[in-house]
Amino acid sequence: MASTIIFDAFGTLIQRAKKRENPYARLVSPSASADLRHQVLTRNVPIDVFAEELGLEHLIPLLRREIEQEIAALALYPDVLQTLLKLRGAGHKIAVCSNLAFDYCATVRQLLPVLDEFVFSCEVGYAKPQPQIFDEACQRLRCRPRDVLFIGDSKRADFEGPLAFGMCARLIDREAGENLEIVLRAATK
């Protein structure tokens, strides 16, 4: 197995509530420009700033309430903490590399205190599958791409992106009942 394991956050380590508010969808509709969608993930500013810039200040109280509700409903998948502790005990470096808006960063750090590093798109200015975010993760962890196993739930961002950067990668399908042990075991074959 690789000496360094990097995980995506949501859908991989952290589960959201079944019914999701998705406050950013109020600002960034599917028809919004790709640039605006990208900015939400690569600017280190709270949702209030985007609302103000879009002339939607009146939505800020609602957006803040929805984000607080969504954050309160976040939880680790049941297998995560035990698996991360096993990896740490076996001497692996472990990290998260995630496309994440500013408002969620502190909570992800609180939910995953056993990690060596956190590489969030909003903090580094690049989003998966851009190679720069994977490079940042490798630099922080002082490892080579070929020494990394990346695990996530998005084919483009968490599988194709890491593979193109020279990492090993595996997808996890939580809806199909997969857990980290299953994916890690498959990665060692």
Side-chain angles (χ1 to χ4, degrees), residues 76-168:
L76 295 180
Y77 285 99
D79 63 307
V80 169
L81 189 56
Q82 179 182 1
T83 303
L84 294 178
L85 291 172
K86 279 184 189 177
L87 289 170
R88 171 158 313 289
H92 295 280
K93 294 181 206 172
I94 50 177
V96 159
C97 178
S98 187
N99 287 349
L100 206 60
F102 170 87
D103 297 285
Y104 303 98
C105 295
T107 302
V108 171
R109 283 185 171 94
Q110 289 170 351
L111 287 170
L112 297 163
V114 300
L115 298 184
D116 295 305
E117 267 305 331
F118 297 88
V119 180
F120 298 138
S121 61
C122 66
E123 294 178 349
V124 300
Y126 300 102
K128 298 180 300 182
Q130 292 179 289
Q132 296 92 330
I133 195 168
F134 302 118
D135 184 54
E136 180 71 23
C138 287
Q139 286 184 39
R140 290 186 187 187
L141 292 161
R142 295 183 180 95
C143 66
R144 299 172 296 193
R146 69 178 184 214
D147 299 326
V148 174
L149 170 61
F150 197 104
I151 298 174
D153 66 325
S154 164
K155 183 178 179 190
R156 183 169 176 258
D158 302 326
F159 185 74
E160 293 171 355
L163 284 178
F165 189 69
M167 298 173 168
C168 292

Side-chain angles (χ1 to χ4, degrees), residues 37-89:
R37 289 192 306 272
H38 186 74
Q39 284 185 44
V40 165
L41 294 175
T42 58
R43 287 181 59 201
N44 203 18
V45 296
I47 198 168
D48 309 38
V49 172
F50 290 105
E52 290 169 1
E53 289 174 354
L54 294 168
L56 301 170
E57 300 88 355
H58 64 282
L59 290 178
I60 291 174
L62 172 64
L63 296 170
R64 295 268 19 114
R65 191 168 45 254
E66 287 180 348
I67 283 182
E68 289 167 12
Q69 290 170 348
E70 189 173 34
I71 286 172
L74 296 176
L76 295 180
Y77 285 99
D79 63 307
V80 169
L81 189 56
Q82 179 182 1
T83 303
L84 294 178
L85 291 172
K86 279 184 189 177
L87 289 170
R88 171 158 313 289

Side-chain angles (χ1 to χ4, degrees), residues 7 9-15 76-80 83 151 153 171-181 183:
F7 299 94
F10 294 111
T12 303
L13 301 178
I14 299 170
Q15 56 188 326
L76 295 180
Y77 285 99
D79 63 307
V80 169
T83 303
I151 298 174
D153 66 325
L171 288 174
I172 187 167
D173 186 349
R174 292 285 188 174
E175 291 183 17
E178 289 185 340
N179 62 34
L180 295 178
E181 288 288 330
V183 174

